[in-house]
Amino acid sequence: MSSELPKQESTTKDKVIFLTEEEASEPSTVQLGASEEHPPGLILPNGDINWNCPCLGGMAVGPCGVDFREAFSCFHYSEADPKGSDCIEKFAEMQTCMQGYPELFEEKEKKYEDQGDDPKENTAESAATEEPVKSSTEEPVESSTESEKSPVEPK
């Protein structure tokens, strides 16, 4: 019987290395890559835009990705006062593109209407249509209509 290990023909991603006790007792000389203290966010340390940032939600790619990148770049590098006021045309182009793909860029109000939710919570419009809150010192006021007061006879 041989003490040699059989040769493996298949190629694997891992490599097995056997060390002697002497080799294992020496300190490791392996150098790991420098870890980033802060992973890159939307803006890279050099001031550039990180188009791969998950915070962009994939807007930088897709059918309107070019328009989005142009508009966002314009805003980011804008020196106008107020910031981005010189980019209105680019954002209008992006909006026009997005309107051409309603299945991808659906308006939120349409989503709420389809789901039966009320998107107008806490808005001035919803506040104007709600009944005013009564204080505890006010007397109750009847708000029923004549049809509610009169009994309905069965047919």
Side-chain angles (χ1 to χ4, degrees):
M1 189 176 235
S2 173
S3 62
E4 292 181 37
L5 293 174
K7 292 184 181 180
Q8 294 181 349
E9 297 290 325
S10 63
T11 305
T12 63
K13 66 178 183 101
D14 300 319
K15 182 177 181 181
V16 178
I17 301 174
F18 293 97
L19 301 175
T20 64
E21 281 185 40
E22 184 180 308
E23 292 171 329
S25 66
E26 294 176 13
S28 175
T29 58
V30 174
Q31 297 291 322
L32 300 175
S35 65
E36 295 181 25
E37 289 181 23
H38 302 285
L42 178 59
I43 308 301
L44 297 171
N46 65 0
D48 289 343
I49 300 168
N50 178 10
W51 296 115
N52 294 322
C53 181
C55 61
L56 293 176
M59 291 292 295
V61 295
C64 300
V66 172
D67 294 320
F68 174 80
R69 290 191 304 269
E70 287 178 2
F72 195 84
S73 293
C74 180
F75 179 81
H76 177 66
Y77 296 111
S78 175
E79 294 180 1
D81 187 34
K83 184 174 178 99
S85 60
D86 54 340
C87 305
I88 294 172
E89 190 174 304
K90 298 229 181 253
F91 278 97
E93 291 172 9
M94 179 185 75
Q95 184 178 19
T96 302
C97 177
M98 292 170 80
Q99 288 171 344
Y101 298 92
E103 67 280 358
L104 296 176
F105 306 106
E106 206 171 313
E107 291 180 30
K108 286 186 179 182
E109 296 228 1
K110 287 182 182 176
K111 283 184 181 178
Y112 285 121
E113 289 172 10
D114 292 346
Q115 296 172 355
D117 294 339
D118 187 9
K120 297 177 186 172
E121 287 182 21
N122 300 325
T123 63
E125 184 177 332
S126 66
T129 60
E130 293 177 2
E131 290 185 31
V133 176
K134 297 176 188 172
S135 70
S136 60
T137 59
E138 291 182 24
E139 291 186 27
V141 178
E142 287 190 35
S143 63
S144 59
T145 61
E146 288 299 317
S147 62
E148 289 175 340
K149 290 181 182 176
S150 62
V152 177
E153 295 181 26
K155 292 184 179 180

